[in-house]
Amino acid sequence: MREPVGDRGGSTRSGRETRRKILAAASRVFADQGYIATEAQDIYRAAGVGRGAFYHHFRSETGSSDGGPVEKVAYAVVQESMIKDLLPQAVLPRLQTVVDASILLAVATPRVTEVRAALRIALEQGHPLFGFLWKAYIPWIAGFLAESRDLRELLPGVEPMRAAEDWVDGYTGRDARYRRSYRDLPAAIARLNETMVRLIAEPHVARHLDLSVERGITLFEASPWAGLEELAPARNDTNRPEPAK
């Protein structure tokens, strides 16, 4: 995993390693069973650390319930999944940055457990982190689209915030649809990107954009995630009924 955000109690190498173990285990647990079904003991047992070590790193404000620490771990996992610092800087056309963000995330999803965990946490209703990712990504993408508008890359009348909402909403919908077959997500997101570009970009700008899945693979291989690749299992269709003969 990338260096954890806000490494409390990690002034020593053993402290940092314990925190990494907890976050890696939490990612596996959240990706497998979601946030609501997860308790603190699920995480520290999966990490192979004691209850005391877990609560040392992820102590609740009151210390009175599991909800605080589990939420803190989930928040750390979601932060680990963010791609804001993984994209090439000052890319032109500026619209390429938006395409890069979505295709990198799509390529990373079937390969990196923490990304799958963060998406499941953010899309599962009934807890404080529901919606966290799109609340973070929509204004970020809107900022890039505003720059694109100022550079006259967008068609007249395109509103950056609305376009960002449509783009992120389209992404989250496809994530939900392909959750049981995440290996197909990059191709689905590449099609989404192509559609969005066709709707909002000036034709001469669209011609210079790289909308391919291969672009996402290249970005992934240049990212800190490259050494963490762990492909999601293929969809299990063994329970499908036999076709009628």
Side-chain angles (χ1 to χ4, degrees):
M1 301 180 79
R2 290 183 288 173
E3 187 68 21
V5 176
D7 190 7
R8 296 184 180 180
S11 58
T12 66
R13 176 175 294 183
S14 61
R16 289 193 296 271
E17 289 302 317
T18 298
R19 184 180 172 93
R20 288 191 184 100
K21 286 175 65 176
I22 292 169
L23 289 177
S27 294
R28 295 192 299 272
V29 173
F30 288 132
D32 181 55
Q33 65 189 44
Y35 180 97
I36 299 296
T38 296
E39 298 180 355
Q41 64 182 14
D42 299 324
I43 297 172
Y44 62 73
R45 287 176 178 173
V49 302
R51 183 179 185 275
F54 174 80
Y55 279 87
H56 172 74
H57 287 277
F58 298 98
R59 188 179 296 110
S60 69
E61 296 301 321
T62 64
S64 61
S65 70
D66 285 350
V70 171
E71 183 179 332
K72 288 179 181 294
V73 178
Y75 180 78
V77 169
V78 171
Q79 286 290 327
E80 287 279 301
S81 78
M82 301 296 284
I83 61 171
K84 293 182 178 182
D85 59 345
L86 302 182
L87 298 174
Q89 300 299 307
V91 172
L92 290 175
R94 205 69 180 114
L95 194 54
Q96 183 69 57
T97 303
V98 181
V99 173
D100 286 350
S102 59
I103 198 62
L104 172 58
L105 190 60
V107 168
T109 298
R111 293 170 167 83
V112 182
T113 305
E114 70 187 39
V115 176
R116 295 195 298 278
L119 288 164
R120 182 160 184 177
I121 290 167
L123 291 175
E124 183 180 356
Q125 298 185 35
H127 64 85
L129 294 178
F130 169 66
F132 179 89
L133 286 178
W134 66 73
K135 291 174 184 176
Y137 278 128
I138 287 173
W140 184 59
I141 294 299
F144 288 124
L145 292 176
E147 293 178 23
S148 297
R149 177 197 57 197
D150 295 344
L151 292 169
R152 299 187 178 181
E153 296 175 0
L154 304 185
L155 293 169
V158 171
E159 165 51 46
M161 182 58 74
R162 288 186 179 181
E165 290 171 349
D166 289 343
W167 212 319
V168 174
D169 287 350
Y171 190 104
T172 55
R174 281 159 180 78
D175 174 82
R177 177 181 175 185
Y178 287 92
R179 182 157 296 169
R180 294 184 63 240
S181 54
Y182 261 147
R183 298 185 190 193
D184 298 326
L185 182 64
I189 296 303
R191 294 193 297 272
L192 169 68
N193 291 344
E194 183 179 347
T195 299
M196 290 300 303
V197 165
R198 189 164 58 245
L199 290 172
I200 70 173
E202 290 281 5
H204 72 277
V205 173
R207 287 194 293 270
H208 291 283
L209 297 175
D210 187 345
L211 304 174
S212 66
V213 173
E214 288 71 23
R215 169 80 174 181
I217 294 171
T218 298
L219 293 170
F220 178 84
E221 291 175 345
S223 77
W225 283 329
L228 305 175
E229 188 164 348
E230 181 184 336
L231 278 174
R235 182 174 61 185
N236 184 355
D237 290 329
T238 57
N239 293 327
R240 282 188 176 180
E242 292 277 343
K245 296 182 180 180

